[in-house]
Amino acid sequence: MAAERKPTFFQSLAAGGLAGTAVDLLFFPIDTIKTRLQSAQGFVKAGGFRGIYKGVGSVVVGSAPGAAAFFSTYEAMKHSIPLHDQLAPVNHMLSASVAEVAACLIRVPTEVIKTRTQTSMYGASASSFKATTLVLQHDGIRGFYRGFLTTIMREIPFTSLQFPLYEFLKHRLSIYLDRKSLYAHEAAVCGSIAGGTAAAVTTPLDVLKTRVMLDLRDPSKQQVPSLPMRLRQIYVQEGTKALFAGVVPRTMWISAGGAVFLGVYEWAVHGLMST
């Protein structure tokens, strides 16, 4: 079996940016429906099926830098952590977790704007730019990082499931095909299975993240429930069904998105490595 070439930092950066933009723009309507299903105000009041591209402006700004930060960090960590092959899943979990924290520093502010615009919190006609100015006016820079901890709480378990499973599936498929480097469509299938599995399992954390980002209460002026308390309140007051609100569109979106995200990444990075 031929040796695997490793992408450089800048190849990972460019390929990650392309992959992130492709998947976010392609699957944005599904994300809008999922977000509205999770909103405490209810699907219809949050906008229903109207204006499913509301908030796309913030995604255009943030998806490429966020994905680029993730993949460049992930690849750098994956090849620098001194763990043996038997501990490869631990390597992938640690690498993906660190990469998610780096990506969330960029992604969370755009996610706050996107979520509030998708659910018409500032009015049905408010644009991403208008939502940005209102967040800055009412909450300052701090407002853009509302839900940062819940996003990390969601993303680290998600990536700790997704990327070890993705790397495992790629490894098993490469052994079966007797070929170290997989084609983009083969990596896409592995990404789809890994993403869909992780998405379904971590849906309650995604619901929590959405509720926190949509909460307009000022934590410095009034008592706001802790994250575990919020999760418990959703369960007690609304039941298990609420914790898994949007699980079908989320799983479909991330399963299909995982195929595009990781497929485009593999295609782009291999293209860059061959030039």
Side-chain angles (χ1 to χ4, degrees):
M1 191 182 293
E4 182 184 18
R5 291 179 60 197
K6 299 178 178 63
T8 66
F9 174 83
F10 291 105
Q11 288 168 342
S12 297
L13 195 75
L18 179 61
T21 302
V23 73
D24 282 345
L25 291 180
L26 186 60
F27 295 103
F28 189 85
I30 300 176
D31 179 57
T32 298
I33 292 170
K34 182 268 299 182
T35 299
R36 290 173 179 177
L37 284 168
Q38 294 176 349
S39 170
Q41 68 195 100
F43 178 70
V44 175
K45 288 185 179 179
F49 291 103
R50 302 184 308 275
I52 55 176
Y53 271 96
K54 284 178 64 66
V56 73
S58 61
V59 168
V60 171
V61 171
S63 62
F70 176 86
F71 273 113
S72 56
T73 305
Y74 177 69
E75 292 290 350
M77 291 292 296
K78 188 172 70 170
H79 299 299
S80 62
I81 294 178
L83 294 177
H84 299 295
D85 290 343
Q86 294 88 341
L87 295 175
V90 179
N91 179 321
H92 299 145
M93 287 174 65
L94 291 173
S95 299
S97 297
V98 174
E100 274 299 341
V101 174
C104 282
L105 291 171
I106 300 170
R107 188 187 304 145
V108 168
T110 61
E111 186 84 0
V112 169
I113 300 304
K114 174 181 73 69
T115 301
R116 295 187 179 185
T117 308
Q118 284 174 325
T119 55
S120 303
M121 289 197 68
Y122 299 122
S125 61
S127 64
S128 295
F129 179 76
K130 178 66 173 177
T132 302
T133 58
L134 287 172
V135 171
L136 188 61
Q137 178 182 336
H138 295 149
D139 301 311
I141 297 298
R142 188 175 172 183
F144 291 108
Y145 284 92
R146 183 185 289 270
F148 181 80
L149 290 179
T150 50
T151 304
I152 294 295
M153 282 173 57
R154 180 197 67 177
E155 292 298 341
I156 287 182
F158 176 81
T159 52
S160 293
L161 289 170
Q162 182 190 29
F163 275 84
L165 181 56
Y166 172 61
E167 298 283 2
F168 172 77
L169 292 172
K170 284 204 305 177
H171 176 66
R172 298 304 302 175
L173 185 56
S174 68
I175 291 175
Y176 176 77
L177 297 174
D178 194 29
R179 178 163 33 85
K180 189 66 176 178
S181 295
L182 299 179
Y183 296 127
H185 68 276
E186 295 165 342
V189 172
C190 297
S192 178
I193 296 170
T197 302
V201 172
T202 59
T203 296
L205 296 175
D206 188 54
V207 171
L208 179 63
K209 182 272 305 179
T210 299
R211 295 290 182 91
V212 171
M213 285 186 170
L214 293 176
D215 191 346
L216 294 178
R217 289 177 292 182
D218 187 346
S220 65
K221 295 181 180 178
Q222 56 185 300
Q223 187 173 5
V224 176
S226 65
L227 298 179
M229 182 60 70
R230 284 174 185 255
L231 201 60
R232 176 175 170 77
Q233 284 177 348
I234 295 170
Y235 173 71
V236 171
Q237 296 173 9
E238 303 175 54
T240 304
K241 186 177 179 180
L243 289 176
F244 284 89
V247 65
V248 173
R250 172 173 162 80
T251 302
M252 288 172 53
W253 164 50
I254 296 181
S255 180
V260 174
F261 187 53
L262 295 167
V264 169
Y265 175 76
E266 296 287 351
W267 168 78
V269 81
H270 289 155
L272 290 168
M273 288 169 65
S274 65
T275 56

